[in-house]
Amino acid sequence: AQSVSQHNHHVILSEAASLELGCNYSYGGTVNLFWYVQYPGQHLQLLLKYFSRDPLVKGIKGFEPEFIKSKFSFNLRKPSVQWSDTAEYFCAVNAQTGANNLFFGTGTRLTVIP
Amino acid sequence: SQTIHQWPATLVQPVGSPLSLECTVEGTSNPNLYWYRQAAGRGLQLLFYSVGIGQISSEVPQNLSASRPQDRQFILSSKKLLLSDSGFYLCAWREGEGEAFFGQGTRLTVV
């Protein structure tokens, strides 16, 4: 079965600090990987995605993914965080072998201090 | 454009009472539909997903069930609620392997 691990439960940073959120998944086959973000009081929304059929991963809002296939990791980085990045971040994975489930990690709460 | 409706937004139910949460999607056909439970520190737990009418996959054993009577309708039910069923329930839809779109969520409190 697939599983997703996010080891940082709560990260507190000052503005302009660099961010790295870790995500590891357990599925050994071809996967699609996602980062979702939930800003305070808002829906979950997609931040970025990685599809193995289209391996060029594009960043958004200054966030950049780091995909290390050999380590089954799909980390999220940002060189300089802003107060507005305060949110909860979820990593998600689904396999491409026909199952359409979508598994999420436990989430990482990011608090950025002005 | 596609929209997803989930209701009610909040619900307080006594232990042992039945439950029915409804989710409908507009503007898409044959979506994959999902029910999640979100709990602090536990992320989103996938409860059920459906790839078509009448097709339900359950990810965790529990006191809940799901049904998909129509293409764009997904219902989460229970015959008898337990205290442990309290939580925040989210419905979501996807087209194939793409991005998932989430509803507003339902805060269920079992008393």
Side-chain angles (χ1 to χ4, degrees), chain A residues 21-35:
Chain A
L21 300 182
C23 173
N24 288 92
Y25 59 95
S26 64
Y27 186 69
T30 306
V31 294
N32 294 331
L33 301 161
F34 307 83
W35 275 99

Side-chain angles (χ1 to χ4, degrees), chain A residues 5-14 16-24 35 47 62-68 71-82 85 89-91 107-112:
Chain A
S5 300
Q6 291 181 248
H7 304 295
N8 308 105
H9 297 296
H10 189 191
V11 174
I12 302 173
L13 295 172
S14 298
S18 63
L19 171 70
E20 180 176 346
L21 300 182
C23 173
N24 288 92
W35 275 99
L47 186 60
F63 288 93
E64 294 288 340
E66 179 188 45
F67 177 53
I68 307 176
K71 294 185 177 180
F72 301 96
S73 69
F74 188 57
N75 304 322
L76 184 68
R77 294 173 175 265
K78 187 171 186 179
S80 177
V81 295
Q82 301 171 311
D85 294 325
Y89 294 81
F90 295 89
C91 183
T108 298
R109 186 155 61 100
L110 172 65
T111 301
V112 180

Side-chain angles (χ1 to χ4, degrees), chain B residues 29-102:
Chain B
S29 295
N30 197 31
N32 294 332
L33 297 172
Y34 304 81
W35 278 110
Y36 289 90
R37 179 163 50 206
Q38 185 176 14
R42 299 184 62 183
L44 275 73
Q45 182 185 31
L46 179 61
L47 303 176
F48 301 95
Y49 71 95
S50 171
V51 298
I53 295 174
Q55 300 179 62
I56 308 296
S57 296
S58 174
E59 287 297 320
V60 293
Q62 59 205 307
N63 185 43
L64 302 168
S65 62
S67 61
R68 185 170 177 173
Q70 301 180 46
D71 181 44
R72 287 168 285 181
Q73 184 185 29
F74 203 27
I75 298 171
L76 184 69
S77 305
S78 173
K79 292 182 179 177
K80 288 186 178 181
L81 283 169
L82 306 172
L83 285 174
S84 57
D85 292 323
S86 293
F88 189 64
Y89 291 85
L90 283 166
C91 180
W93 71 272
R94 298 168 79 194
E95 286 182 345
E97 301 164 345
E99 176 182 356
F101 296 91
F102 288 83

Side-chain angles (χ1 to χ4, degrees), chain A residues 36 38 43 53 94 100 102, chain B residues 34 36 38 94 97 100:
Chain A
Y36 283 80
Q38 187 171 29
H43 292 191
R53 287 194 298 270
N94 87 273
N100 286 287
L102 181 63
Chain B
Y34 304 81
Y36 289 90
Q38 185 176 14
R94 298 168 79 194
E97 301 164 345

Side-chain angles (χ1 to χ4, degrees), chain B residues 11-19 80-83 108-111:
Chain B
L11 189 60
V12 180
Q13 291 283 101
V15 168
S17 64
L19 172 74
K80 288 186 178 181
L81 283 169
L82 306 172
L83 285 174
L108 172 66
T109 304
V110 182
V111 296

